[in-house]
Amino acid sequence: DLKKTDVSGIDSCVAQFANNGITLYLDYGVYGGLATARGSELEWKRETLSIGGRDAQLTTFVDTTHGNSGLKYIASLYVVVKPVEPGREREWRPTTLMMSVISDRRTNRDAALAIFRSIRFE
């Protein structure tokens, strides 16, 4: 029951979907990177898993920067879709897919994993 929201990117394909329980954000392009700890997160955890036959990084944490709106649980996926050709690393970046599920509840981690595991690459 996720509905598309009005979000657009400048230099990559960006989309956002939301319902009453979660927000799903995705960014496909060459400017993405792994989620990094900023010092305001709790329960920071990173693990490697396979998504669509590719190695991916799943980072989960509780974001404490939302002030009055409460804590937000975040599950963030990072996967290289198209690596840089050998010898061209100085000229270009890999094409990546980043997806994040943001929720008020840790129990939505299973929903995030189900969404992430539904990804298929051609």
Side-chain angles (χ1 to χ4, degrees):
D1 65 343
L2 293 170
K3 304 280 190 247
K4 190 171 184 346
T5 63
D6 189 25
V7 171
S8 60
I10 296 171
D11 53 14
S12 59
C13 177
V14 174
Q16 182 172 290
F17 302 85
N19 66 15
N20 288 334
I22 65 172
T23 299
L24 170 66
Y25 175 81
L26 56 101
D27 184 328
Y28 177 82
V30 297
Y31 295 105
L34 277 167
T36 56
R38 298 178 309 259
S40 59
E41 299 86 3
L42 302 172
E43 302 174 30
W44 180 268
K45 181 179 174 188
R46 178 168 290 145
E47 60 188 282
T48 300
L49 56 126
S50 180
I51 298 292
R54 299 172 194 255
D55 286 341
Q57 299 296 312
L58 173 67
T59 305
T60 56
F61 58 95
V62 176
D63 186 352
T64 63
T65 62
H66 291 276
N68 292 338
S69 65
L71 300 175
K72 299 293 183 187
Y73 180 78
I74 306 206
S76 180
L77 180 79
Y78 173 82
V79 61
V80 174
V81 177
K82 182 180 177 189
V84 176
E85 295 176 25
R88 299 192 71 189
E89 294 85 359
R90 297 187 96 152
E91 303 170 32
W92 202 243
R93 298 174 179 206
T95 302
T96 62
L97 172 65
M98 295 183 323
M99 296 179 76
S100 294
V101 171
I102 303 160
S103 172
D104 293 333
R105 298 180 304 278
R106 286 178 185 82
T107 55
N108 285 326
R109 180 180 191 274
D110 291 339
L113 289 174
I115 292 167
F116 297 158
R117 288 193 170 120
S118 72
I119 298 169
R120 301 290 178 261
F121 298 102
E122 294 183 13

